[in-house]
Amino acid sequence: MPRKKQTFEEAVNRLEEVVAEMEDSKTSLDRSMALYKEGVTLVMRCAEDLSGAEKEITALQRTAEGIFTQKPFESGGEA
């Protein structure tokens, strides 16, 4: 049976678990290396998900005539 795709939230939760285990002084070097590799994969996956979500977001703007138009979401602007 194929595994279901991990959600963004599940990936973040697993990443938190990975970090906690790596911070434990009882974790062996071999285990820490395996966890590090898993963590990098999770970070990359989360970054891809966030990038994809950002591309999907659109902001509605009202023109001077009172008409709403859509424009692509632009990150990094002032709030």
Side-chain angles (χ1 to χ4, degrees):
M1 181 173 179
R3 275 182 73 180
K4 70 176 183 115
K5 184 179 177 198
Q6 188 178 43
T7 67
F8 175 79
E9 292 78 10
E10 290 169 339
V12 169
N13 288 336
R14 177 62 189 145
L15 186 56
E16 290 172 350
E17 292 170 358
V18 165
V19 169
E21 189 173 345
M22 286 181 70
E23 289 176 339
D24 185 346
S25 62
K26 295 175 185 167
T27 303
S28 70
L29 178 59
D30 287 342
R31 178 69 180 146
S32 292
M33 290 301 299
L35 289 166
Y36 179 80
K37 291 175 186 177
E38 181 183 358
V40 169
T41 301
L42 289 165
V43 167
M44 291 171 44
R45 160 84 201 303
C46 289
E48 287 176 11
D49 285 356
L50 288 173
S51 178
E54 185 176 64
K55 290 176 184 175
E56 291 182 29
I57 295 173
T58 57
L60 285 174
Q61 284 190 317
R62 182 179 263 173
T63 66
E65 297 80 29
I67 300 170
F68 285 100
T69 59
Q70 289 185 341
K71 75 173 208 175
F73 174 77
E74 295 176 14
S75 64
E78 295 179 359

